[in-house]
Amino acid sequence: MNIYINDNIAGFDVEAALPLLSEQRREQCLKFKHEQGRKTCAAAYLLLCEGLKKEYGITEKPVFEYGEHGKPVIVGFPHIHFNISHCREAAICVLSNQPIGVDIESIREYKESLVRYTMNDAEIDEITHSQNPALAFIRFWTMKEAVLKLSGEGIRNNMKTVLTGHEPINTVVNEEKGYVYSVVY
Protein backbone atom coordinates (compact mmCIF):
# COMPACT_ATOMS: atom_id res chain seq x y z
CA MET A 1 0.00 0.00 0.00
CA ASN A 2 1.24 3.49 -0.87
CA ILE A 3 -0.25 6.76 0.31
CA TYR A 4 -0.08 10.01 -1.65
CA ILE A 5 -1.19 13.21 0.04
CA ASN A 6 -1.35 16.88 -0.88
CA ASP A 7 -1.93 19.05 2.17
CA ASN A 8 -1.16 22.34 0.47
CA ILE A 9 -4.56 22.82 -1.14
CA ALA A 10 -4.46 26.58 -0.53
CA GLY A 11 -1.50 26.80 -2.93
CA PHE A 12 -2.99 24.41 -5.51
CA ASP A 13 -3.50 25.99 -8.96
CA VAL A 14 -6.69 24.45 -10.30
CA GLU A 15 -6.49 26.30 -13.64
CA ALA A 16 -3.04 24.82 -14.31
CA ALA A 17 -4.33 21.38 -13.27
CA LEU A 18 -7.41 21.26 -15.52
CA PRO A 19 -5.51 20.32 -18.73
CA LEU A 20 -3.86 17.44 -16.84
CA LEU A 21 -7.20 15.80 -16.03
CA SER A 22 -9.14 13.32 -18.14
CA GLU A 23 -12.20 14.82 -19.81
CA GLN A 24 -14.35 12.78 -17.41
CA ARG A 25 -12.58 14.15 -14.31
CA ARG A 26 -12.45 17.71 -15.67
CA GLU A 27 -16.25 17.65 -16.12
CA GLN A 28 -16.67 16.31 -12.58
CA CYS A 29 -14.28 18.93 -11.21
CA LEU A 30 -16.04 21.81 -12.93
CA LYS A 31 -19.40 20.77 -11.44
CA PHE A 32 -18.21 22.09 -8.07
CA LYS A 33 -19.63 25.58 -7.49
CA HIS A 34 -16.71 26.79 -5.41
CA GLU A 35 -13.03 26.86 -6.27
CA GLN A 36 -12.20 24.89 -3.11
CA GLY A 37 -14.17 21.88 -4.36
CA ARG A 38 -12.56 22.10 -7.78
CA LYS A 39 -9.10 22.26 -6.17
CA THR A 40 -9.56 19.19 -4.00
CA CYS A 41 -11.23 17.17 -6.77
CA ALA A 42 -8.36 17.90 -9.18
CA ALA A 43 -5.68 17.41 -6.52
CA ALA A 44 -6.99 13.94 -5.57
CA TYR A 45 -7.02 12.86 -9.22
CA LEU A 46 -3.49 14.12 -9.81
CA LEU A 47 -2.32 12.14 -6.77
CA LEU A 48 -3.79 9.05 -8.42
CA CYS A 49 -1.96 9.89 -11.65
CA GLU A 50 1.29 10.30 -9.70
CA GLY A 51 0.84 6.94 -8.00
CA LEU A 52 -0.07 5.14 -11.22
CA LYS A 53 3.06 6.50 -12.90
CA LYS A 54 5.40 5.66 -9.99
CA GLU A 55 4.01 2.22 -9.22
CA TYR A 56 2.81 0.91 -12.58
CA GLY A 57 4.44 3.09 -15.23
CA ILE A 58 0.99 4.21 -16.39
CA THR A 59 1.11 7.68 -17.90
CA GLU A 60 -2.31 7.82 -19.58
CA LYS A 61 -5.05 9.74 -17.81
CA PRO A 62 -7.19 7.25 -15.89
CA VAL A 63 -10.89 7.04 -16.71
CA PHE A 64 -13.30 5.54 -14.22
CA GLU A 65 -16.26 3.24 -14.36
CA TYR A 66 -18.37 2.85 -11.26
CA GLY A 67 -19.67 -0.13 -9.31
CA GLU A 68 -23.18 -0.63 -8.01
CA HIS A 69 -22.67 1.76 -5.07
CA GLY A 70 -20.43 4.24 -6.88
CA LYS A 71 -16.97 2.83 -6.10
CA PRO A 72 -14.64 3.78 -8.97
CA VAL A 73 -12.50 1.33 -10.94
CA ILE A 74 -9.93 2.37 -13.54
CA VAL A 75 -11.09 1.35 -17.01
CA GLY A 76 -8.66 -1.24 -18.39
CA PHE A 77 -6.96 -1.77 -15.03
CA PRO A 78 -9.46 -3.53 -12.75
CA HIS A 79 -6.59 -5.20 -10.83
CA ILE A 80 -5.31 -1.85 -9.54
CA HIS A 81 -7.04 -1.01 -6.28
CA PHE A 82 -7.20 2.62 -5.24
CA ASN A 83 -9.30 5.03 -3.25
CA ILE A 84 -9.28 8.82 -3.05
CA SER A 85 -10.73 11.35 -0.67
CA HIS A 86 -10.47 15.05 0.00
CA CYS A 87 -11.40 17.68 2.53
CA ARG A 88 -10.82 21.43 2.80
CA GLU A 89 -7.16 21.07 3.84
CA ALA A 90 -5.96 18.05 1.88
CA ALA A 91 -6.44 15.41 -0.79
CA ILE A 92 -5.33 11.80 -0.43
CA CYS A 93 -4.96 8.75 -2.67
CA VAL A 94 -4.05 5.20 -1.69
CA LEU A 95 -2.98 2.46 -4.09
CA SER A 96 -2.74 -1.21 -3.19
CA ASN A 97 -2.66 -4.72 -4.60
CA GLN A 98 -5.85 -5.48 -2.65
CA PRO A 99 -9.13 -3.62 -2.03
CA ILE A 100 -8.59 -0.50 0.06
CA GLY A 101 -10.56 2.40 1.53
CA VAL A 102 -9.52 5.86 2.68
CA ASP A 103 -11.25 8.89 4.13
CA ILE A 104 -9.85 12.28 5.07
CA GLU A 105 -11.78 14.91 7.00
CA SER A 106 -11.18 18.35 8.45
CA ILE A 107 -11.03 18.62 12.22
CA ARG A 108 -14.13 20.63 13.08
CA GLU A 109 -16.93 20.87 15.58
CA TYR A 110 -19.69 18.31 15.36
CA LYS A 111 -23.35 18.06 16.23
CA GLU A 112 -24.30 15.86 19.14
CA SER A 113 -27.26 14.52 17.13
CA LEU A 114 -24.81 13.26 14.48
CA VAL A 115 -22.71 11.54 17.16
CA ARG A 116 -25.80 9.82 18.60
CA TYR A 117 -26.94 8.73 15.13
CA THR A 118 -23.59 7.37 13.91
CA MET A 119 -21.70 6.13 16.97
CA ASN A 120 -22.34 3.19 19.27
CA ASP A 121 -22.32 3.50 23.07
CA ALA A 122 -18.61 2.66 23.47
CA GLU A 123 -17.64 5.16 20.76
CA ILE A 124 -19.83 7.86 22.31
CA ASP A 125 -18.24 7.19 25.69
CA GLU A 126 -14.74 7.50 24.21
CA ILE A 127 -15.67 10.72 22.37
CA THR A 128 -17.31 12.41 25.35
CA HIS A 129 -14.46 11.50 27.72
CA SER A 130 -11.75 12.56 25.30
CA GLN A 131 -9.65 15.66 25.93
CA ASN A 132 -10.63 16.72 22.40
CA PRO A 133 -14.11 15.35 21.58
CA ALA A 134 -14.18 16.94 18.10
CA LEU A 135 -10.94 15.18 17.18
CA ALA A 136 -12.14 11.88 18.65
CA PHE A 137 -15.37 12.11 16.63
CA ILE A 138 -13.54 12.87 13.36
CA ARG A 139 -11.16 9.96 14.02
CA PHE A 140 -14.09 7.54 14.36
CA TRP A 141 -15.88 9.10 11.38
CA THR A 142 -12.88 8.65 9.06
CA MET A 143 -12.47 5.06 10.22
CA LYS A 144 -16.13 4.28 9.48
CA GLU A 145 -16.13 5.99 6.11
CA ALA A 146 -12.88 4.27 5.07
CA VAL A 147 -14.46 0.88 5.91
CA LEU A 148 -17.56 1.74 3.88
CA LYS A 149 -15.44 2.92 0.96
CA LEU A 150 -13.43 -0.32 1.13
CA SER A 151 -16.62 -2.34 0.71
CA GLY A 152 -18.04 0.09 -1.81
CA GLU A 153 -21.24 0.46 0.23
CA GLY A 154 -21.04 4.15 1.01
CA ILE A 155 -22.78 5.69 3.99
CA ARG A 156 -25.57 3.44 5.16
CA ASN A 157 -28.36 3.56 7.70
CA ASN A 158 -26.67 1.73 10.57
CA MET A 159 -23.36 3.53 11.01
CA LYS A 160 -23.08 2.30 14.61
CA THR A 161 -21.88 -1.20 13.64
CA VAL A 162 -19.52 -0.31 10.79
CA LEU A 163 -16.28 -0.87 12.71
CA THR A 164 -17.29 -4.27 14.10
CA GLY A 165 -14.74 -6.81 12.87
CA HIS A 166 -12.72 -4.41 10.71
CA GLU A 167 -8.99 -4.45 11.34
CA PRO A 168 -6.47 -3.13 10.63
CA ILE A 169 -7.40 0.53 10.33
CA ASN A 170 -4.53 3.00 10.24
CA THR A 171 -5.46 6.50 11.38
CA VAL A 172 -3.24 9.57 11.16
CA VAL A 173 -4.03 12.85 12.93
CA ASN A 174 -2.41 16.04 11.68
CA GLU A 175 -3.62 18.68 14.13
CA GLU A 176 -1.19 21.26 12.77
CA LYS A 177 -2.74 21.07 9.27
CA GLY A 178 -6.26 20.38 10.63
CA TYR A 179 -7.15 16.96 9.25
CA VAL A 180 -7.45 13.26 10.08
CA TYR A 181 -7.29 10.35 7.68
CA SER A 182 -7.92 6.62 8.02
CA VAL A 183 -6.91 3.80 5.69
CA VAL A 184 -8.36 0.28 5.83
CA TYR A 185 -7.53 -2.82 3.81
Side-chain angles (χ1 to χ4, degrees):
M1 169 189 63
N2 289 304
I3 299 171
Y4 298 86
I5 191 160
N6 178 341
D7 57 10
N8 184 23
I9 297 299
F12 186 83
D13 184 349
V14 72
E15 292 304 319
L18 288 174
L20 304 174
L21 309 180
S22 69
E23 182 179 329
Q24 177 193 49
R25 189 63 174 197
R26 189 171 30 254
E27 286 176 10
Q28 185 180 8
C29 182
L30 292 172
K31 286 181 183 177
F32 284 90
K33 291 180 183 179
H34 301 288
E35 183 181 21
Q36 185 67 28
R38 291 190 296 272
K39 284 181 173 187
T40 56
C41 179
Y45 181 85
L46 291 179
L47 290 172
L48 173 62
C49 292
E50 177 186 347
L52 291 172
K53 184 176 180 180
K54 282 183 180 177
E55 295 178 39
Y56 300 96
I58 298 171
T59 57
E60 60 204 59
K61 298 173 184 174
V63 174
F64 305 140
E65 57 189 6
Y66 296 90
E68 177 184 352
H69 299 288
K71 186 171 183 166
V73 176
I74 301 169
V75 173
F77 300 96
H79 63 285
I80 298 175
H81 299 278
F82 77 99
N83 207 225
I84 57 178
S85 184
H86 46 82
C87 66
R88 183 163 202 74
E89 292 76 18
I92 191 168
C93 173
V94 292
L95 286 152
S96 179
N97 59 3
Q98 63 187 23
I100 195 154
V102 67
D103 186 48
I104 191 166
E105 298 289 339
S106 304
I107 299 171
R108 63 188 182 283
E109 291 302 313
Y110 63 90
K111 294 181 180 177
E112 188 174 334
S113 61
L114 182 61
V115 172
R116 300 259 173 236
Y117 183 73
T118 59
M119 302 294 151
N120 63 40
D121 290 341
E123 294 162 349
I124 291 170
D125 189 55
E126 188 173 327
I127 290 166
T128 57
H129 290 92
S130 168
Q131 288 185 339
N132 186 340
L135 178 60
F137 170 74
I138 293 298
R139 188 175 60 77
F140 275 119
W141 182 267
T142 63
M143 293 167 63
K144 289 177 183 239
E145 194 155 338
V147 167
L148 293 172
K149 289 176 74 178
L150 167 71
S151 69
E153 292 178 65
I155 294 177
R156 60 183 188 188
N157 290 338
N158 192 357
M159 294 285 290
K160 294 180 180 190
T161 61
V162 169
L163 297 180
T164 305
H166 283 282
E167 294 292 331
I169 301 174
N170 299 324
T171 300
V172 173
V173 175
N174 189 327
E175 286 189 82
E176 180 184 330
K177 298 258 183 162
Y179 63 82
V180 175
Y181 71 84
S182 292
V183 179
V184 64
Y185 47 92

